[in-house]
Amino acid sequence: MQNSEAMALSAALLAVAGDLTQRIHNGVVARGFTDVRPAHGFAFARLAPDGATVTDLAAHLGVTKQAASQLVDEIVRKGYAERRPHPEDARARLVVLTERGWECTRAAEAAAAEAVGLWVELMGEGEVRVLRECLMRIAPYGPVRPAW
């Protein structure tokens, strides 16, 4: 692959990721969750299903522990998550989604399905499935990090 082709592919993937993030965010806001930012959604993805420590969340988001702690403070204050004692480490606290956090997560899933539905209309279900399989080979486990 030529450098120019690699750059064009990189630009297209970044554009798609940015557009997808915005569409999901817009869908979440349209479903009544007006006090969240895309960064919250990236955190919720790590907190679901079993919770995480602030250290785990920082590593997932690619930020400092202090930045992750501030984000946790914010989502706890807004009622999306709560801190609990860690079941295996008495020194740590586990951050878990509340029912409101799960409702917001389900809203994001519905918005993502709508966004991907547009891809299916454009490319067909088979091509979208192949795209998913190819991308999963490149980045099978994430982490999904916000760009801010």
Side-chain angles (χ1 to χ4, degrees):
M1 179 173 281
Q2 298 290 326
N3 286 352
S4 59
E5 293 173 316
M7 190 61 181
L9 175 59
S10 298
L13 286 170
L14 291 169
V16 168
D19 180 66
L20 181 60
T21 299
Q22 192 60 52
R23 286 180 186 274
I24 293 171
H25 178 69
N26 292 346
V28 167
V29 169
R31 287 167 173 82
F33 298 94
T34 59
D35 61 344
V36 294
R37 300 179 283 124
H40 297 139
F42 290 107
F44 293 177
R46 177 59 184 92
L47 297 178
D50 300 321
T53 65
V54 169
T55 301
D56 295 334
L57 188 58
H60 174 77
L61 296 174
V63 300
T64 65
K65 284 191 268 187
Q66 293 82 1
S69 183
Q70 289 175 350
L71 183 66
V72 168
D73 288 345
E74 184 179 358
I75 63 176
V76 166
R77 187 175 61 254
K78 292 180 177 187
Y80 291 103
E82 63 185 13
R83 292 180 179 91
R84 293 185 183 164
H86 196 289
E88 299 167 7
D89 184 350
R91 298 168 297 154
R93 304 280 288 162
L94 196 62
V95 182
V96 298
L97 294 176
T98 61
E99 182 53 38
R100 180 173 167 82
W102 282 108
E103 289 170 4
C104 187
T105 299
R106 287 188 290 272
E109 289 172 351
E114 289 174 0
V116 172
L118 297 174
W119 299 353
V120 170
E121 289 177 19
L122 180 67
M123 299 168 47
E125 193 167 330
E127 282 193 60
V128 171
R129 188 169 282 119
V130 168
L131 174 63
R132 179 190 170 278
E133 290 167 2
C134 290
L135 292 174
M136 292 300 292
R137 284 198 318 257
I138 295 168
Y141 308 112
V144 177
R145 292 184 172 151
W148 53 61

